[in-house]
Amino acid sequence: MCKHDFPTYRGQMEYVCLSCGARHAGDELLYTCPQCGGVFLLENTRFDELKAHDGAWWRDLFDRRASTRTTALRGIFRYYELLAPILDEEDIVYLGEGITPIIKAAPALRDSVGIPFAYKNDGQNPSASFKDRGMACAFSYLKSLVRRHGWTDVLTVCASTGDTSAAAALYASYVGAPLKSVVLLPHGKVTPQQLSQPLGSGATVLELPGVFDDCMKVVEHLADRYRVALLNSKNSWRILGQESYAYEVAQWYGWDVSSLCVFVPVGNAGNITAVMSGFLKMLELGIITGLPRIFGVQSAHADPVYRYYAAPRAERQWQPVQVSPSVAQAAMIGNPVSFPRVARLAAKFQELGGEKAFQVVQVTEQQIMDAMIRANRRGHIACTQGGECLAGLINARALGLIGPDEHAVLDATAHALKFSGFQDMYFNGSFPPAYEVTPDTSLSNRPELLLDAAKKQSLSPAEYTRAAAEAIVRRLGLVKK
Ligand code: F0G
């Protein structure tokens, strides 16, 4: 492929309100419908032009683009035509996001679960979560707006359980003026590692008492009334960027996903929206010929989407829930703003792929922790939400929801290191009762101090090395060569 291979195709993006159906031009930043307050999805009104090529042509293009040297196409914009094909090359922000590895379950883990599966390690994104996919798109769009309008001052704001704020602050600090990042966090409900990220990026970090849902209402209030750029997934440009997850999964499996079960942890429901939207677009273009099955996973401590779909169809009524402490803290959300998007796309999935093409499973806190610890002891880097996915797979198997010829891919949405405090509590047996987690002590692990500092003081350097080595020989029962 030649060096300057940036696509010449341009689409036209429109916001479509999922409540009243109103359409608004995509050349301004809108979050909710000015007419009715409904949430949007972005639609390329020139999408049909892409059908001039068949599925094989698109598959071949995306396969060839895997070796591009054009920076703007190296991450999520490998799939430029399917994302936001109004952006110019100079607008695209690339920090190494996307194209994350899909790692087969270690054989022992696979055998204990009883089905072939893999983790897609989205914790290997630059800010260590999948949020970078959406931010790369949202910030590229913001850059294009700044260029076109000559804006001199743009405050980006988001509420966050930790990862959105880390990603937003990272991209804002990279792009620099005129963008400035402000993040709003529920005090004490973000891990120290997540908190260190926007601090390190130089964002203004504001905290409020309460949970994510409280902070979300506050930033919505601000975005409705003040000149700020909202970066929560209510911002539909984020959803487009996150669709790249589905494109990468399909490409990895050779564009054949019809026997694949895709497990996604659900919090604010932006991610599962994007994943479904991505697969639907590929189906429409013939890039894939069958849909995978989508399994949303929620903890019993934050499960409004599970409850909705668990009810018989005629009795379904959307009802936010009050959350209780969850180890899947990043997904601890009682009133997901993207629920209307999920409802719309899940219905489409089921229409095209049958009733079982979209399902939501519920897991306990105990199952999440046990699953994460088991996965990580087998060489994976799953965070608690990745543990939630594995617990979901185990439950789905136990419920008979997965057939013998199927396989699964689980979204490890963030890096395990961001949530190491939960591992500490598991290993130290220090979980507060509200989490309802009893550690399996056979899995706990802790450091052992072999010599104390006073001993070190009393010895010469050479004696110390010998004493320390002898302590290790005793501890491990080492045998002489
Ligand atoms: N996993 C991780 C690691 C997350 O950070 C989030 C959401 C989810 C799963 C759930 O994804 O919201 O798209 O359904 N974190 C948001 C945040 C809410 O503020 O960082 P979702």
Side-chain angles (χ1 to χ4, degrees), residues 298-455:
Q298 291 208 299
S299 159
H301 285 192
D303 61 353
V305 182
Y306 165 76
R307 286 179 195 217
Y308 178 84
Y309 284 101
R313 194 175 276 277
E315 291 161 33
R316 283 180 193 163
Q317 240 189 344
W318 175 242
Q319 196 76 52
V321 304
Q322 208 69 39
V323 297
S324 24
S326 174
V327 297
Q329 185 170 265
M332 198 180 92
I333 295 173
N335 191 14
V337 303
S338 283
F339 178 72
R341 292 165 166 161
V342 173
R344 169 72 60 95
L345 296 176
K348 184 98 191 155
F349 241 79
Q350 290 179 326
E351 182 194 314
L352 294 170
E355 196 65 18
K356 301 206 158 27
F358 171 86
Q359 296 176 79
V360 185
V361 290
Q362 188 202 46
V363 295
T364 65
E365 293 291 312
Q366 181 75 48
Q367 290 172 324
I368 297 172
M369 277 312 296
D370 291 343
M372 180 191 84
I373 301 284
R374 275 174 68 190
N376 294 352
R377 284 178 72 102
R378 294 294 180 188
H380 296 280
I381 52 166
C383 62
T384 43
Q385 293 66 225
E388 186 175 20
C389 278
L390 178 54
L393 171 64
I394 294 168
N395 283 4
R397 288 259 310 151
L399 292 166
L401 303 180
I402 298 187
D405 299 329
E406 291 184 294
H407 61 123
V409 66
L410 318 185
D411 194 347
T413 46
H415 200 290
L417 288 175
K418 286 202 189 212
F419 297 88
S420 58
F422 292 108
Q423 175 187 291
D424 291 345
M425 290 198 275
Y426 195 93
F427 287 172
N428 301 336
S430 59
F431 265 111
Y435 285 98
E436 299 180 283
V437 174
T438 307
D440 174 348
T441 51
S442 72
L443 296 176
S444 76
N445 202 1
R446 58 186 77 199
E448 304 164 44
L449 184 63
L450 293 176
L451 295 175
D452 60 26
K455 182 85 179 165

Side-chain angles (χ1 to χ4, degrees), residues 130-131 160-164 212 265-271 330 333 385 413-414:
F130 74 95
K131 302 288 179 178
S160 182
T161 57
D163 293 325
T164 295
F212 170 86
V266 180
N268 218 13
N271 199 25
I333 295 173
Q385 293 66 225
T413 46

Side-chain angles (χ1 to χ4, degrees), residues 65-369:
R65 253 190 215 151
S67 63
T68 185
R69 286 166 184 251
T70 297
T71 301
L73 301 177
R74 294 188 77 161
I76 61 166
F77 289 105
R78 176 186 291 179
Y79 314 97
Y80 175 86
E81 292 84 350
L82 307 183
L83 298 185
I86 53 156
L87 298 171
D88 288 335
E89 185 172 3
E90 65 186 292
D91 297 320
I92 287 179
V93 187
Y94 173 66
L95 296 188
E97 63 287 326
I99 323 295
T100 54
I102 292 181
I103 307 297
K104 273 189 193 175
L109 186 64
R110 177 201 60 209
D111 292 347
S112 69
V113 172
I115 174 180
F117 72 97
Y119 263 119
K120 184 159 172 67
N121 283 350
D122 256 22
Q124 290 181 239
N125 276 300
S127 79
S129 88
F130 74 95
K131 302 288 179 178
D132 297 325
R133 298 177 177 279
M135 289 302 167
C137 189
F139 274 88
S140 300
Y141 177 66
L142 263 184
K143 258 187 87 180
S144 77
L145 289 181
V146 165
R147 187 166 59 81
R148 281 191 277 128
H149 295 287
W151 289 341
T152 53
D153 220 359
V154 182
L155 267 192
T156 68
V157 298
C158 64
S160 182
T161 57
D163 293 325
T164 295
S165 57
L170 180 72
Y171 283 78
S173 65
Y174 182 84
V175 173
L179 304 186
K180 285 203 204 96
S181 171
V182 180
V183 305
L184 185 59
L185 306 175
H187 178 68
K189 307 262 175 4
V190 166
T191 73
Q193 295 78 10
Q194 290 172 316
L195 180 58
S196 77
Q197 293 185 286
L199 291 173
S201 297
T204 301
V205 178
L206 307 175
E207 297 192 321
L208 284 173
V211 293
F212 170 86
D213 295 296
D214 301 307
C215 294
M216 190 64 223
K217 286 200 193 104
V218 176
V219 292
E220 283 175 343
H221 179 98
L222 294 175
D224 284 346
R225 294 169 180 78
Y226 298 90
R227 289 197 47 175
V228 291
L230 180 74
L231 284 175
N232 283 98
S233 48
K234 219 162 199 180
N235 178 332
S236 309
W237 300 91
R238 284 235 353 246
I239 301 291
L240 290 178
Q242 289 177 198
E243 286 175 2
S244 58
Y245 183 91
Y247 307 140
E248 289 173 26
V249 166
Q251 187 166 26
W252 181 258
Y253 289 105
W255 308 105
D256 177 6
V257 287
S258 47
S259 58
L260 184 66
C261 299
V262 180
F263 281 76
V264 185
V266 180
N268 218 13
N271 199 25
I272 195 163
T273 294
V275 169
M276 286 195 285
S277 176
F279 283 116
L280 288 168
K281 275 189 197 171
M282 285 187 282
L283 187 71
E284 203 178 337
L285 290 178
I287 298 173
I288 56 173
T289 51
L291 289 172
R293 297 203 294 141
I294 306 291
F295 288 80
V297 189
Q298 291 208 299
S299 159
H301 285 192
D303 61 353
V305 182
Y306 165 76
R307 286 179 195 217
Y308 178 84
Y309 284 101
R313 194 175 276 277
E315 291 161 33
R316 283 180 193 163
Q317 240 189 344
W318 175 242
Q319 196 76 52
V321 304
Q322 208 69 39
V323 297
S324 24
S326 174
V327 297
Q329 185 170 265
M332 198 180 92
I333 295 173
N335 191 14
V337 303
S338 283
F339 178 72
R341 292 165 166 161
V342 173
R344 169 72 60 95
L345 296 176
K348 184 98 191 155
F349 241 79
Q350 290 179 326
E351 182 194 314
L352 294 170
E355 196 65 18
K356 301 206 158 27
F358 171 86
Q359 296 176 79
V360 185
V361 290
Q362 188 202 46
V363 295
T364 65
E365 293 291 312
Q366 181 75 48
Q367 290 172 324
I368 297 172
M369 277 312 296

